[in-house]
Amino acid sequence: MRPKLKVWVTFGDRLKFGDGRAQLLQLIDEFGSLRKAATELGMSYRNAWGYLRELEEAAGFTFLERVPGGGPRSGMRLTDDAKRFLKRYRQFRDALEGDMKRRFARSYPKQPTSNF
Amino acid sequence: MRPKLKVWVTFGDRLKFGDGRAQLLQLIDEFGSLRKAATELGMSYRNAWGYLRELEEAAGFTFLERVPGGGPRSGMRLTDDAKRFLKRYRQFRDALEGDMKRRFARSYPKQPTSNF
């Protein structure tokens, strides 16, 4: 018997940001490309782009910027605001994962004569 | 911006127990009837029954018993094991809900100049 957790944050009534979207941001920054990141996750470019537009509007700050210059890493990257947001989300999510394990062990102590 | 949480426990690879199933158990005990409880939740009797059989097998103990005698409350009720299981699940789940609020407030402190 094992505990499971799904965590996300909402903006307003509708827009969600969870592990999948955190991964999208991470990959955009790694690849320098929204298109490659979307493809990697099996999302359409159009969906990924639309989501990011809504996220920026809801959050009130810019998530993506163009890397200046024309070097090999030219393309997209996360803004400092976006990096801070992502870091906080992960901190929040990982801390809660730890809480979950502790709470579960406390609520369902191992008993020699039982499966739970 | 608000945090959200979904919690459940799994038995083996497949069987899940979360808030919806906790509510099913609760309603069976209140109504004294699996059929009424399933209907209330928009489940078929067959699905609810099948789920409970699998849950009992996975957990290794009986969840439902027949109320003895023929009085007005005759019907189904939860066993003591099931009540304890349900109580522990709720304790676990509610504690984690509290953790989530605290963790969120810590990871996303209110800032006067920002939406997050």
Side-chain angles (χ1 to χ4, degrees):
Chain A
M1 194 179 154
R2 297 197 320 156
K4 300 271 182 175
L5 178 71
K6 195 177 167 190
V7 180
W8 65 98
V9 296
T10 60
F11 296 89
D13 288 338
R14 207 170 60 83
L15 196 72
K16 294 176 184 180
F17 183 91
D19 289 1
R21 301 318 194 192
Q23 206 189 350
L24 176 65
L25 292 184
Q26 178 74 36
L27 288 175
I28 292 170
D29 208 46
E30 280 174 21
F31 292 149
S33 162
L34 174 58
R35 190 175 297 278
K36 282 185 192 163
T39 303
E40 179 80 10
L41 296 177
M43 294 176 77
S44 72
Y45 177 76
R46 186 194 169 90
N47 272 358
W49 182 254
Y51 175 79
L52 287 161
R53 288 260 75 96
E54 285 187 72
L55 182 62
E56 289 185 335
E57 193 179 351
F61 59 88
T62 304
F63 276 69
L64 295 182
E65 64 188 5
R66 229 160 243 299
V67 178
R73 276 218 68 218
S74 97
M76 298 293 236
R77 70 180 175 198
L78 298 180
T79 61
D80 288 343
D81 279 346
K83 283 179 187 164
R84 188 165 55 236
F85 177 85
L86 186 58
K87 192 176 163 189
R88 284 172 170 177
Y89 173 76
R90 292 212 160 119
Q91 182 186 62
F92 163 60
R93 195 235 169 283
D94 294 348
L96 210 51
E97 184 88 21
D99 292 338
M100 178 189 71
K101 287 172 185 164
R102 279 191 296 280
R103 295 290 188 188
F104 185 76
R106 205 176 301 169
S107 289
Y108 290 94
K110 287 265 188 292
Q111 292 170 335
T113 59
S114 161
N115 279 344
F116 72 102
Chain B
M1 194 180 156
R2 296 196 322 156
K4 300 270 183 176
L5 178 71
K6 194 177 167 187
V7 180
W8 65 99
V9 297
T10 60
F11 296 89
D13 289 338
R14 207 170 58 82
L15 196 72
K16 295 178 183 176
F17 183 91
D19 289 1
R21 300 319 195 193
Q23 206 188 351
L24 176 64
L25 292 185
Q26 178 75 37
L27 288 176
I28 292 169
D29 208 46
E30 281 174 20
F31 292 150
S33 161
L34 174 57
R35 189 175 298 278
K36 281 185 193 162
T39 303
E40 179 81 9
L41 296 176
M43 295 176 79
S44 73
Y45 176 77
R46 185 193 170 90
N47 272 357
W49 182 254
Y51 174 79
L52 287 162
R53 289 261 72 98
E54 286 188 73
L55 182 62
E56 289 185 335
E57 193 178 353
F61 58 87
T62 304
F63 275 70
L64 295 183
E65 64 188 4
R66 225 159 248 299
V67 178
R73 276 216 68 217
S74 98
M76 299 292 238
R77 70 180 174 196
L78 299 180
T79 62
D80 288 343
D81 280 346
K83 283 180 188 163
R84 189 165 55 237
F85 176 86
L86 187 58
K87 192 176 163 187
R88 284 171 170 178
Y89 173 77
R90 292 214 161 118
Q91 181 186 60
F92 163 61
R93 195 235 169 284
D94 292 348
L96 210 50
E97 183 89 22
D99 292 338
M100 177 189 73
K101 288 173 185 162
R102 279 190 297 280
R103 294 289 187 189
F104 184 78
R106 206 176 301 169
S107 290
Y108 291 94
K110 286 268 187 293
Q111 293 170 336
T113 58
S114 161
N115 279 343
F116 72 103

